[in-house]
Amino acid sequence: MADDAVQRESMEYDLVIVGGGPAGLSAAIRFKQLADAAGEDLSVVVIEKGGEIGAHILSGVVMDPVGLDKLIPGWRERDDRPLKTEVTGDKFKFLGPNGEADISWLPMPGFMKNHGNYTGSLANVARWLGQEAENLGVEVFPGFAASDLVLGENGEVKGIVAGVMGIAADGSHKSDYEPGMELLGKYVLFAEGARGSLTKQLIAK
C-alpha cells in the first residue's frame, strides 16, 4: 500500500480509471455521456501503463459490434471508424493427418458464428476509443503505471499512486527516484486486465 511517509502531490477526480483498454475507455466515455446528459461537469482520468493507448493490446480481433453500436451510435458511417471489414460468412474445417474436411454444413452453436461481426485491430479500436474519450473531456495519461493503492482509514479505496520512477529491484530508491502522484477519486475503477497488479492486491485484501 502507499507509503504514508512519502510526500506526494495529489489530484482529485470524480472517477479514476486504471487501464486504457477497451473496457476502461468505454467506461470513461459512458460516464461522460451520462454526466453531460445530466448537465454535470464531472472529471474523469484514465491512466495507461503503455507508452500509448493500444500499446499492450494484441492486434487481431473478431468483434461483435453491439457494444460500439450502443456506446457510439453512428460509428459505422464515420470515415475514421476503427473496424471496416464485416464478416460475411463462416467456414469450419476438420484438420487431420490426411488433409481437411469441410464441416460447415454441421449445425454449430451461435457463439461460433461470426456473420455480422467485424475483423480488425483491437489496438486500433482502443486508440480510437481513446480519442473519443479525450473529445469528451476525459484526461488520458499513457505511460503512467499505477504502482500502489491509496486507502482510507476504513480500508476503502481512495485512489492510486501513479508515475513512480527509480525503484530498484530490491525496493530501494535509486538516485533518479520520483515519488509519483496520487490520483484520488470519488470512484476508482480497475480495468487493468487479467494480470493487473493492483487488482491482485484488492482481491488478496
Side-chain angles (χ1 to χ4, degrees), residues 17-25 47-49 56-57 189-201 203:
I17 299 176
V18 183
L25 292 167
I47 66 161
E48 163 59 37
K49 66 183 176 182
H56 285 186
I57 296 179
L189 173 65
F190 294 89
E192 298 178 289
R195 295 182 179 85
S197 58
L198 295 191
T199 302
K200 289 178 180 177
Q201 286 186 38
I203 292 170

mmCIF file of all heavy atoms in Angstrom, residues 17-25 47-49 56-57 189-201 203:
data_model
loop_
_atom_site.group_PDB
_atom_site.id
_atom_site.type_symbol
_atom_site.label_atom_id
_atom_site.label_comp_id
_atom_site.label_asym_id
_atom_site.label_seq_id
_atom_site.Cartn_x
_atom_site.Cartn_y
_atom_site.Cartn_z
ATOM 1 N N ILE A 17 -9.828 5.850 -13.535
ATOM 2 C CA ILE A 17 -9.863 4.552 -14.200
ATOM 3 C C ILE A 17 -8.439 4.090 -14.441
ATOM 4 O O ILE A 17 -7.632 4.809 -15.043
ATOM 5 C CB ILE A 17 -10.635 4.615 -15.533
ATOM 6 C CG1 ILE A 17 -12.092 5.031 -15.278
ATOM 7 C CG2 ILE A 17 -10.582 3.272 -16.252
ATOM 8 C CD1 ILE A 17 -12.914 5.216 -16.539
ATOM 9 N N VAL A 18 -8.133 2.896 -13.970
ATOM 10 C CA VAL A 18 -6.801 2.311 -14.132
ATOM 11 C C VAL A 18 -6.866 1.313 -15.286
ATOM 12 O O VAL A 18 -7.487 0.256 -15.170
ATOM 13 C CB VAL A 18 -6.340 1.609 -12.836
ATOM 14 C CG1 VAL A 18 -4.916 1.079 -13.007
ATOM 15 C CG2 VAL A 18 -6.411 2.558 -11.655
ATOM 16 N N GLY A 19 -6.243 1.640 -16.404
ATOM 17 C CA GLY A 19 -6.241 0.757 -17.566
ATOM 18 C C GLY A 19 -6.902 1.417 -18.758
ATOM 19 O O GLY A 19 -8.098 1.746 -18.709
ATOM 20 N N GLY A 20 -6.118 1.622 -19.823
ATOM 21 C CA GLY A 20 -6.632 2.274 -21.014
ATOM 22 C C GLY A 20 -6.937 1.312 -22.140
ATOM 23 O O GLY A 20 -6.641 1.593 -23.306
ATOM 24 N N GLY A 21 -7.542 0.175 -21.805
ATOM 25 C CA GLY A 21 -8.001 -0.760 -22.829
ATOM 26 C C GLY A 21 -9.451 -0.470 -23.188
ATOM 27 O O GLY A 21 -10.028 0.527 -22.748
ATOM 28 N N PRO A 22 -10.076 -1.330 -23.987
ATOM 29 C CA PRO A 22 -11.458 -1.093 -24.407
ATOM 30 C C PRO A 22 -12.432 -0.949 -23.238
ATOM 31 O O PRO A 22 -13.341 -0.117 -23.287
ATOM 32 C CB PRO A 22 -11.785 -2.332 -25.255
ATOM 33 C CG PRO A 22 -10.464 -2.777 -25.781
ATOM 34 C CD PRO A 22 -9.484 -2.497 -24.687
ATOM 35 N N ALA A 23 -12.247 -1.733 -22.164
ATOM 36 C CA ALA A 23 -13.175 -1.653 -21.033
ATOM 37 C C ALA A 23 -13.055 -0.326 -20.297
ATOM 38 O O ALA A 23 -14.053 0.358 -20.041
ATOM 39 C CB ALA A 23 -12.929 -2.821 -20.068
ATOM 40 N N GLY A 24 -11.814 0.057 -19.960
ATOM 41 C CA GLY A 24 -11.616 1.302 -19.236
ATOM 42 C C GLY A 24 -12.040 2.517 -20.042
ATOM 43 O O GLY A 24 -12.691 3.434 -19.524
ATOM 44 N N LEU A 25 -11.692 2.548 -21.314
ATOM 45 C CA LEU A 25 -12.043 3.686 -22.160
ATOM 46 C C LEU A 25 -13.545 3.755 -22.416
ATOM 47 O O LEU A 25 -14.133 4.844 -22.421
ATOM 48 C CB LEU A 25 -11.281 3.611 -23.479
ATOM 49 C CG LEU A 25 -9.772 3.829 -23.352
ATOM 50 C CD1 LEU A 25 -9.058 3.422 -24.634
ATOM 51 C CD2 LEU A 25 -9.451 5.276 -22.993
ATOM 52 N N ILE A 47 -5.564 6.243 -16.704
ATOM 53 C CA ILE A 47 -4.118 6.072 -16.806
ATOM 54 C C ILE A 47 -3.823 4.712 -17.431
ATOM 55 O O ILE A 47 -4.532 3.735 -17.199
ATOM 56 C CB ILE A 47 -3.396 6.228 -15.452
ATOM 57 C CG1 ILE A 47 -3.772 5.106 -14.492
ATOM 58 C CG2 ILE A 47 -3.676 7.574 -14.830
ATOM 59 C CD1 ILE A 47 -2.763 4.979 -13.371
ATOM 60 N N GLU A 48 -2.791 4.694 -18.242
ATOM 61 C CA GLU A 48 -2.415 3.500 -19.001
ATOM 62 C C GLU A 48 -0.903 3.333 -18.926
ATOM 63 O O GLU A 48 -0.148 4.275 -19.201
ATOM 64 C CB GLU A 48 -2.872 3.648 -20.451
ATOM 65 C CG GLU A 48 -2.223 2.704 -21.452
ATOM 66 C CD GLU A 48 -2.434 1.244 -21.131
ATOM 67 O OE1 GLU A 48 -3.528 0.879 -20.648
ATOM 68 O OE2 GLU A 48 -1.489 0.455 -21.351
ATOM 69 N N LYS A 49 -0.456 2.140 -18.542
ATOM 70 C CA LYS A 49 0.984 1.925 -18.383
ATOM 71 C C LYS A 49 1.729 1.896 -19.706
ATOM 72 O O LYS A 49 2.929 2.194 -19.759
ATOM 73 C CB LYS A 49 1.240 0.631 -17.609
ATOM 74 C CG LYS A 49 0.807 -0.636 -18.334
ATOM 75 C CD LYS A 49 1.031 -1.862 -17.478
ATOM 76 C CE LYS A 49 0.519 -3.117 -18.152
ATOM 77 N NZ LYS A 49 0.679 -4.310 -17.302
ATOM 78 N N HIS A 56 -0.350 -2.198 -25.456
ATOM 79 C CA HIS A 56 -0.271 -3.510 -24.809
ATOM 80 C C HIS A 56 -1.417 -4.438 -25.216
ATOM 81 O O HIS A 56 -1.730 -5.372 -24.495
ATOM 82 C CB HIS A 56 -0.277 -3.335 -23.284
ATOM 83 C CG HIS A 56 1.034 -2.837 -22.750
ATOM 84 N ND1 HIS A 56 1.310 -2.727 -21.408
ATOM 85 C CD2 HIS A 56 2.161 -2.425 -23.386
ATOM 86 C CE1 HIS A 56 2.530 -2.264 -21.237
ATOM 87 N NE2 HIS A 56 3.063 -2.067 -22.430
ATOM 88 N N ILE A 57 -2.017 -4.174 -26.372
ATOM 89 C CA ILE A 57 -3.168 -4.968 -26.795
ATOM 90 C C ILE A 57 -2.802 -5.794 -28.021
ATOM 91 O O ILE A 57 -2.246 -5.263 -28.989
ATOM 92 C CB ILE A 57 -4.369 -4.054 -27.109
ATOM 93 C CG1 ILE A 57 -4.800 -3.332 -25.832
ATOM 94 C CG2 ILE A 57 -5.526 -4.854 -27.679
ATOM 95 C CD1 ILE A 57 -5.959 -2.386 -26.033
ATOM 96 N N LEU A 189 -12.109 2.836 -10.696
ATOM 97 C CA LEU A 189 -12.448 1.660 -11.489
ATOM 98 C C LEU A 189 -11.162 0.993 -11.970
ATOM 99 O O LEU A 189 -10.310 1.643 -12.581
ATOM 100 C CB LEU A 189 -13.306 2.058 -12.689
ATOM 101 C CG LEU A 189 -13.618 0.977 -13.714
ATOM 102 C CD1 LEU A 189 -14.473 -0.116 -13.098
ATOM 103 C CD2 LEU A 189 -14.314 1.568 -14.923
ATOM 104 N N PHE A 190 -11.032 -0.293 -11.687
ATOM 105 C CA PHE A 190 -9.846 -1.035 -12.107
ATOM 106 C C PHE A 190 -10.179 -1.842 -13.354
ATOM 107 O O PHE A 190 -10.997 -2.761 -13.310
ATOM 108 C CB PHE A 190 -9.362 -1.947 -10.973
ATOM 109 C CG PHE A 190 -8.874 -1.172 -9.782
ATOM 110 C CD1 PHE A 190 -9.745 -0.799 -8.772
ATOM 111 C CD2 PHE A 190 -7.546 -0.774 -9.689
ATOM 112 C CE1 PHE A 190 -9.312 -0.057 -7.687
ATOM 113 C CE2 PHE A 190 -7.099 -0.033 -8.617
ATOM 114 C CZ PHE A 190 -7.986 0.328 -7.603
ATOM 115 N N ALA A 191 -9.533 -1.479 -14.468
ATOM 116 C CA ALA A 191 -9.731 -2.154 -15.746
ATOM 117 C C ALA A 191 -8.372 -2.551 -16.285
ATOM 118 O O ALA A 191 -8.033 -2.294 -17.440
ATOM 119 C CB ALA A 191 -10.474 -1.234 -16.717
ATOM 120 N N GLU A 192 -7.577 -3.194 -15.425
ATOM 121 C CA GLU A 192 -6.183 -3.499 -15.757
ATOM 122 C C GLU A 192 -6.017 -4.729 -16.638
ATOM 123 O O GLU A 192 -4.942 -4.949 -17.178
ATOM 124 C CB GLU A 192 -5.390 -3.761 -14.474
ATOM 125 C CG GLU A 192 -5.314 -2.602 -13.523
ATOM 126 C CD GLU A 192 -4.545 -2.986 -12.276
ATOM 127 O OE1 GLU A 192 -5.065 -3.778 -11.468
ATOM 128 O OE2 GLU A 192 -3.408 -2.504 -12.116
ATOM 129 N N GLY A 193 -7.023 -5.562 -16.720
ATOM 130 C CA GLY A 193 -6.861 -6.809 -17.454
ATOM 131 C C GLY A 193 -6.501 -7.952 -16.526
ATOM 132 O O GLY A 193 -6.474 -7.811 -15.297
ATOM 133 N N ALA A 194 -6.202 -9.091 -17.123
ATOM 134 C CA ALA A 194 -6.032 -10.334 -16.354
ATOM 135 C C ALA A 194 -4.817 -10.325 -15.447
ATOM 136 O O ALA A 194 -4.771 -11.062 -14.461
ATOM 137 C CB ALA A 194 -5.940 -11.519 -17.321
ATOM 138 N N ARG A 195 -3.822 -9.508 -15.732
ATOM 139 C CA ARG A 195 -2.594 -9.513 -14.932
ATOM 140 C C ARG A 195 -2.415 -8.219 -14.152
ATOM 141 O O ARG A 195 -1.306 -7.826 -13.826
ATOM 142 C CB ARG A 195 -1.379 -9.747 -15.833
ATOM 143 C CG ARG A 195 -1.368 -11.119 -16.481
ATOM 144 C CD ARG A 195 -0.120 -11.331 -17.324
ATOM 145 N NE ARG A 195 -0.098 -12.636 -17.912
ATOM 146 C CZ ARG A 195 -0.685 -12.974 -19.058
ATOM 147 N NH1 ARG A 195 -1.357 -12.054 -19.730
ATOM 148 N NH2 ARG A 195 -0.608 -14.202 -19.536
ATOM 149 N N GLY A 196 -3.486 -7.555 -13.823
ATOM 150 C CA GLY A 196 -3.408 -6.291 -13.122
ATOM 151 C C GLY A 196 -2.867 -6.428 -11.713
ATOM 152 O O GLY A 196 -3.413 -7.171 -10.900
ATOM 153 N N SER A 197 -1.790 -5.707 -11.406
ATOM 154 C CA SER A 197 -1.145 -5.852 -10.100
ATOM 155 C C SER A 197 -1.988 -5.257 -8.976
ATOM 156 O O SER A 197 -2.069 -5.826 -7.884
ATOM 157 C CB SER A 197 0.238 -5.196 -10.119
ATOM 158 O OG SER A 197 0.130 -3.823 -10.463
ATOM 159 N N LEU A 198 -2.628 -4.121 -9.216
ATOM 160 C CA LEU A 198 -3.456 -3.533 -8.171
ATOM 161 C C LEU A 198 -4.727 -4.348 -7.949
ATOM 162 O O LEU A 198 -5.197 -4.482 -6.817
ATOM 163 C CB LEU A 198 -3.814 -2.091 -8.514
ATOM 164 C CG LEU A 198 -2.659 -1.098 -8.583
ATOM 165 C CD1 LEU A 198 -3.179 0.330 -8.674
ATOM 166 C CD2 LEU A 198 -1.737 -1.233 -7.384
ATOM 167 N N THR A 199 -5.256 -4.900 -9.016
ATOM 168 C CA THR A 199 -6.428 -5.764 -8.877
ATOM 169 C C THR A 199 -6.090 -6.976 -8.022
ATOM 170 O O THR A 199 -6.884 -7.394 -7.167
ATOM 171 C CB THR A 199 -6.924 -6.215 -10.267
ATOM 172 O OG1 THR A 199 -7.216 -5.051 -11.046
ATOM 173 C CG2 THR A 199 -8.168 -7.073 -10.150
ATOM 174 N N LYS A 200 -4.895 -7.534 -8.216
ATOM 175 C CA LYS A 200 -4.464 -8.675 -7.378
ATOM 176 C C LYS A 200 -4.368 -8.256 -5.922
ATOM 177 O O LYS A 200 -4.737 -9.017 -5.027
ATOM 178 C CB LYS A 200 -3.134 -9.211 -7.883
ATOM 179 C CG LYS A 200 -3.235 -9.956 -9.223
ATOM 180 C CD LYS A 200 -1.869 -10.411 -9.692
ATOM 181 C CE LYS A 200 -1.973 -11.149 -11.024
ATOM 182 N NZ LYS A 200 -0.641 -11.553 -11.537
ATOM 183 N N GLN A 201 -3.865 -7.044 -5.662
ATOM 184 C CA GLN A 201 -3.802 -6.563 -4.275
ATOM 185 C C GLN A 201 -5.187 -6.471 -3.673
ATOM 186 O O GLN A 201 -5.416 -6.857 -2.525
ATOM 187 C CB GLN A 201 -3.136 -5.181 -4.225
ATOM 188 C CG GLN A 201 -1.629 -5.171 -4.437
ATOM 189 C CD GLN A 201 -1.053 -3.777 -4.230
ATOM 190 O OE1 GLN A 201 -1.487 -3.053 -3.338
ATOM 191 N NE2 GLN A 201 -0.074 -3.406 -5.035
ATOM 192 N N ILE A 203 -7.940 -8.086 -4.571
ATOM 193 C CA ILE A 203 -8.521 -9.435 -4.378
ATOM 194 C C ILE A 203 -7.940 -10.077 -3.140
ATOM 195 O O ILE A 203 -8.662 -10.677 -2.324
ATOM 196 C CB ILE A 203 -8.268 -10.301 -5.630
ATOM 197 C CG1 ILE A 203 -9.080 -9.774 -6.810
ATOM 198 C CG2 ILE A 203 -8.618 -11.768 -5.352
ATOM 199 C CD1 ILE A 203 -8.728 -10.412 -8.130
#
